[in-house]
Amino acid sequence: MDEKLDAITSLESALADPEMRAMIADHQSILQSIALSASENAAHFVAVRNGLRHAIDRLQSLHASAYVGSYGRDGGKVPFTEVTGQFRKKA
């Protein structure tokens, strides 16, 4: 309790000092720009995290949309499942 009281007393005396108040006013714009940059950086990190999460999800589900088969003359898909013997090899 005594440490907290001493800290508050020293803070109040520092804020009552006109020289300290002038320094606070001088640094206020700098601190505001730092706070603005920090919030912008936080938004960028959120966007990067979301992008990475979606990229990982797409890579993990890539095999689900993979197509194994062939294509016919008309461009239609011809799957390899249950078509044993229906393909002719060209020499």
Side-chain angles (χ1 to χ4, degrees):
M1 179 76 173
D2 291 333
E3 289 181 37
K4 289 182 181 181
L5 186 57
D6 290 339
I8 290 173
T9 305
S10 62
L11 178 63
E12 287 176 347
S13 64
L15 292 176
D17 184 13
E19 195 173 301
M20 180 63 85
R21 284 185 155 197
M23 190 171 24
I24 290 171
D26 291 342
H27 290 81
Q28 188 173 10
S29 64
I30 295 170
L31 293 175
Q32 286 174 343
S33 67
I34 290 171
L36 179 63
S37 295
S39 64
E40 289 174 355
N41 286 343
H44 289 141
F45 281 125
V46 167
V48 168
R49 184 183 64 211
N50 288 340
L52 287 174
R53 184 181 311 129
H54 290 298
I56 289 169
D57 289 344
R58 281 193 301 269
L59 288 173
Q60 287 176 343
S61 66
L62 190 61
H63 70 280
S65 63
Y67 175 72
V68 178
S70 181
Y71 296 93
R73 290 184 183 178
D74 60 352
K77 293 181 179 180
V78 180
F80 282 157
T81 57
E82 301 176 12
V83 290
T84 307
Q86 294 181 17
F87 290 97
R88 295 184 183 167
K89 295 182 181 179
K90 292 184 179 180

